[in-house]
Amino acid sequence: MKRRKIVLVAGVFPPGVGGMQNYYYNLSKHTKHDMTVIAPEYPDFAEFDEGQPYRIVRGPFMRGERADVTSWGRLFRQVKRTLRREEPDVTVYGYVLIGFIGLLFRVFGGRRYIISAHGMDMLMFRRYIGLNQIVKLILRKADGVLVNSEFTRRLVEDYGVEAGRIGIVHPGVESLFEPKTVDEELRRQHGLEGKYVLLSVGRLVTRKGHDRVIEAMPGIVRHIPNAVYVIVGDGPERERLEELAKTVGVAGRVRFVGGVSGTERLNDYYNLANQFIMVSRQLEKGDAEGFGIVYLEAASARVPVIAGRSGGASEAVLDGVTGLLVEPESLMAITDAVVRLASDTPLRERLVREGYKRAKLQFQHDVLAEVFDQYAGRICAAPAAAIYKRAGKSTVERMRP
């Protein structure tokens, strides 16, 4: 495989915390291509950047964890400087609207570009006719679109992107997620001695379904009297979820841990759990789970998994094979799945065994980076003129004054 020069314009990146941050970090770390990353500034980013095996260019391109539209001029200029200096074979844009910069450089400079899509970004603009048309243009004129799941691929195809230009690279699992001896001090810290622990790991936002598990807890406790629900993560829904636990009468059964930093510490929490549960659902406003790598992290620690039948979760969890899928709005379905896993030992052991094997064989970062490398190489080798094989005036003709 020919080694290519790639520039990644990452909307988010470590030391920021989150699934997309890890996704881009591990692609950059494990690719065999020559990678340069343009990333936003975070506190302590200089310490993180030191010693990374790829180049990182930082700038004030974000506000919190959202793309800062007011700073896109600075991002545009930085991309322009980087493209001139690096002369890459292709540029990957890690957020669909940032890809408008790629469209401009494609039209007026002939630069190849790939859009990286994650699911929610394919849904959130559909209510806005103007933005939706811009998204469609960005996607259809890209040389390629990289997606994280079959779910996201279908959303991209809905925009009219040919299947041959779409590549699927799932998120990967850190090899450090493994079964280990329970940390007794951590168990005591959260008062979990003698408890049957249900665990969720994820940002506290509505789509993750923490509220539905809390609402199901009274029914779960009737069948599993020592059940406790441990929630790792933080976010805007925390206060509402704490109030909900009080309203439902299970405040003493729910532990809000907050954010946990570091793979090893997170692995300690997985190993406290008897079951992992996150019943994500798709919201009307266009919020959906694009994939859900936490399901595979739990599987790597040999914890049985329950997921919501929504978005890309059905690819992270194979129903009845590596875990159970439930209707995320049904409290009865959630309760029944938890009780079933607790009581059916042969089923639980089979799901754990198959889930662990799949996570370790198919979702390691080096395996997935090889898929990315092949895809990026194919896009770079394809005839550049192929994206203009459509009827009507070319993009250049339409955009010129």
Side-chain angles (χ1 to χ4, degrees):
M1 180 186 68
K2 182 178 179 180
R3 192 166 189 251
R4 301 288 186 169
K5 294 187 73 173
I6 298 175
V7 168
L8 167 63
V9 185
V12 292
F13 203 73
V17 177
M20 288 176 63
Q21 288 87 337
N22 289 338
Y23 185 80
Y24 293 129
Y25 166 71
N26 281 293
L27 283 184
S28 303
K29 179 181 178 181
H30 293 279
T31 181
K32 291 183 173 60
H33 292 305
D34 181 3
M35 183 76 82
T36 298
V37 178
I38 299 175
E41 295 175 347
Y42 293 85
D44 303 321
F45 72 85
E47 182 179 351
F48 171 85
D49 292 355
E50 187 176 354
Q52 295 295 338
Y54 47 88
R55 293 175 294 282
I56 305 178
V57 179
R58 298 280 184 174
F61 310 133
M62 298 284 290
R63 179 173 295 155
E65 286 296 316
R66 296 182 177 275
D68 183 3
V69 177
T70 63
S71 67
W72 278 12
R74 293 191 293 273
L75 178 58
F76 178 89
R77 290 190 293 273
Q78 183 59 68
V79 172
K80 183 177 181 180
R81 288 192 295 269
T82 303
L83 295 184
R84 284 181 173 176
R85 184 180 67 248
E86 300 292 337
E87 289 295 332
D89 295 291
V90 69
T91 305
V92 179
Y93 291 87
Y95 184 72
V96 66
L97 283 186
I98 293 177
F100 187 72
I101 296 173
L103 175 63
L104 292 177
F105 283 118
R106 183 72 175 91
V107 170
F108 298 110
R111 302 277 187 180
R112 295 177 186 266
Y113 74 96
I114 294 171
I115 297 298
S116 176
H118 292 265
M120 186 177 71
D121 49 348
M122 293 296 97
L123 291 167
M124 64 190 302
F125 302 112
R126 295 192 175 192
R127 295 176 297 161
Y128 308 104
I129 295 175
L131 282 175
N132 197 48
Q133 290 303 311
I134 292 172
V135 168
K136 181 183 291 188
L137 185 63
I138 292 168
L139 292 171
R140 296 183 68 175
K141 300 307 179 184
D143 293 80
V145 182
L146 183 69
V147 300
N148 64 341
S149 65
E150 285 287 345
F151 169 71
T152 307
R153 179 189 64 78
R154 291 190 293 270
L155 295 176
V156 170
E157 285 188 332
D158 286 346
Y159 275 102
V161 179
E162 298 92 335
R165 290 194 289 119
I166 302 173
I168 300 178
V169 178
H170 295 297
V173 183
E174 297 289 349
S175 59
L176 283 173
F177 289 111
E178 278 282 352
K180 61 176 291 189
T181 303
V182 170
D183 184 327
E184 293 296 343
E185 176 57 34
L186 189 63
R187 176 143 58 188
R188 285 192 296 271
Q189 177 185 334
H190 296 295
L192 301 176
E193 303 97 323
K195 303 299 184 183
Y196 190 90
V197 178
L198 308 177
L199 175 72
S200 290
V201 174
R203 184 164 166 74
L204 304 190
V205 292
T206 304
R207 79 166 186 272
K208 299 288 186 179
H210 301 94
D211 52 350
R212 295 296 179 260
V213 180
I214 290 173
E215 290 170 338
M217 280 300 292
I220 292 170
V221 169
R222 281 196 292 272
H223 295 277
I224 309 173
N226 61 336
V228 172
Y229 182 31
V230 176
I231 300 175
V232 172
D234 218 332
E237 287 284 288
R238 177 162 180 167
E239 184 176 345
R240 184 180 77 85
L241 292 171
E242 290 174 336
E243 287 301 316
L244 178 63
K246 294 175 185 176
T247 301
V248 174
V250 294
R253 300 278 186 164
V254 182
R255 310 281 195 272
F256 290 90
V257 172
V260 172
S261 60
T263 300
E264 290 190 25
R265 197 52 169 166
L266 186 54
N267 191 46
D268 288 334
Y269 278 94
Y270 282 122
N271 278 276
L272 286 177
N274 298 97
Q275 295 183 29
F276 180 86
I277 183 167
M278 191 171 79
V279 290
S280 294
R281 60 190 187 268
Q282 186 168 330
L283 305 179
E284 289 184 4
K285 66 179 182 179
D287 200 354
E289 197 71 37
F291 185 69
I293 196 59
V294 290
Y295 302 118
L296 289 155
E297 292 174 354
S300 296
R302 293 189 179 273
V303 180
V305 172
I306 298 171
R309 196 186 302 276
S310 170
S314 58
E315 296 167 61
V317 179
L318 304 182
D319 190 25
V321 179
T322 67
L324 298 180
L325 296 178
V326 301
E327 294 305 320
E329 298 288 2
S330 171
L331 303 187
M332 182 178 294
I334 294 168
T335 302
D336 288 348
V338 171
V339 174
R340 185 182 176 198
L341 280 185
S343 59
D344 190 336
T345 300
L347 171 66
R348 184 176 64 251
E349 291 179 347
R350 176 169 59 81
L351 296 180
V352 165
R353 182 175 63 251
E354 294 303 315
Y356 179 83
K357 183 165 62 175
R358 183 170 181 253
K360 291 300 183 182
L361 292 180
Q362 299 180 34
F363 290 90
Q364 297 302 292
H365 291 299
D366 54 347
V367 175
L368 297 167
E370 186 174 345
V371 177
F372 169 75
D373 287 351
Q374 302 255 348
Y375 172 72
R378 179 169 63 82
I379 293 298
C380 291
I387 68 168
Y388 294 107
K389 290 181 180 178
R390 296 184 179 86
K393 294 182 178 180
S394 72
T395 304
V396 174
E397 290 171 327
R398 286 196 297 270
M399 293 186 66
R400 279 176 179 161

